[in-house]
Amino acid sequence: MRSYDYIPQPHAILYYSQRTTEGGFLISEASVVSETGRGYKHTPGIWTKEQVEAWKPIVAEVQAKGGIFFCQLLHAGRISNRDFQPNGKAPISCSDKPLKNKPNGGFNAAEFTPPRRLRTGEIPQIVNDFRIAARNAIEAGN
């Protein structure tokens, strides 16, 4: 969670390469697929060309050390709040049910805006966001 403006930073090259072993399978931190998928500050994204270009040297370094890199794709859904959403809208989710507190160290529901239920007609856009993100991950070298 050190990807300012949702762009992976150069220090991630060292972070991931230090965790790489010959033939090792490395899974990235969850990478956001679109603006509506944001749920946390400073998480990396994979929906813009700038993000793809930032991932390339990270992936290349892991591969240079013999590792296999896999970009984990994320849409945060209701684990978000208006501050992370375009135009301050409610986060979208499969449900309009707000998150409930989890006992024993779980989420603090007060941090999250109650979501808006995704409309059926919006599903193709979310599917397309994941499709684009997957293609972008491939372009980045995954």
Side-chain angles (χ1 to χ4, degrees), residues 2 13 15 18 35 39 69 91 136 141:
R2 296 178 180 158
I13 297 168
Y15 175 85
Q18 286 177 330
E35 287 185 310
F69 196 85
N136 287 345

Side-chain angles (χ1 to χ4, degrees), residues 62-116:
V62 168
Q63 291 172 342
K65 291 181 79 176
I68 300 163
F69 196 85
F70 181 84
C71 183
Q72 179 183 185
L73 303 179
L74 164 78
H75 190 293
R78 70 182 183 166
I79 309 296
S80 187
N81 71 47
R82 292 179 189 278
D83 294 341
F84 298 122
Q85 297 301 308
N87 303 315
K89 293 183 178 179
I92 55 176
S93 181
C94 61
S95 167
D96 57 2
K97 295 179 183 176
L99 192 67
K100 293 183 181 178
N101 279 331
K102 303 267 183 180
N104 303 321
F107 290 118
N108 177 2
E111 296 175 21
F112 306 107
T113 303
R116 174 182 67 78

Side-chain angles (χ1 to χ4, degrees), residues 4-77:
Y4 311 113
D5 294 325
Y6 302 93
I7 299 167
Q9 300 296 300
H11 62 261
I13 297 168
L14 179 62
Y15 175 85
Y16 285 109
S17 69
Q18 286 177 330
R19 288 151 180 81
T20 302
T21 58
E22 181 74 30
F25 183 67
L26 228 64
I27 301 173
S28 75
E29 65 180 300
S31 300
V32 183
V33 299
S34 68
E35 287 185 310
T36 65
R38 298 180 295 195
Y40 307 93
K41 249 182 145 171
H42 307 308
T43 53
I46 191 78
W47 75 88
T48 71
K49 289 293 177 194
E50 187 177 9
Q51 293 162 340
V52 171
E53 292 303 314
W55 274 114
K56 285 181 178 179
I58 299 165
V59 176
E61 183 63 23
V62 168
Q63 291 172 342
K65 291 181 79 176
I68 300 163
F69 196 85
F70 181 84
C71 183
Q72 179 183 185
L73 303 179
L74 164 78
H75 190 293

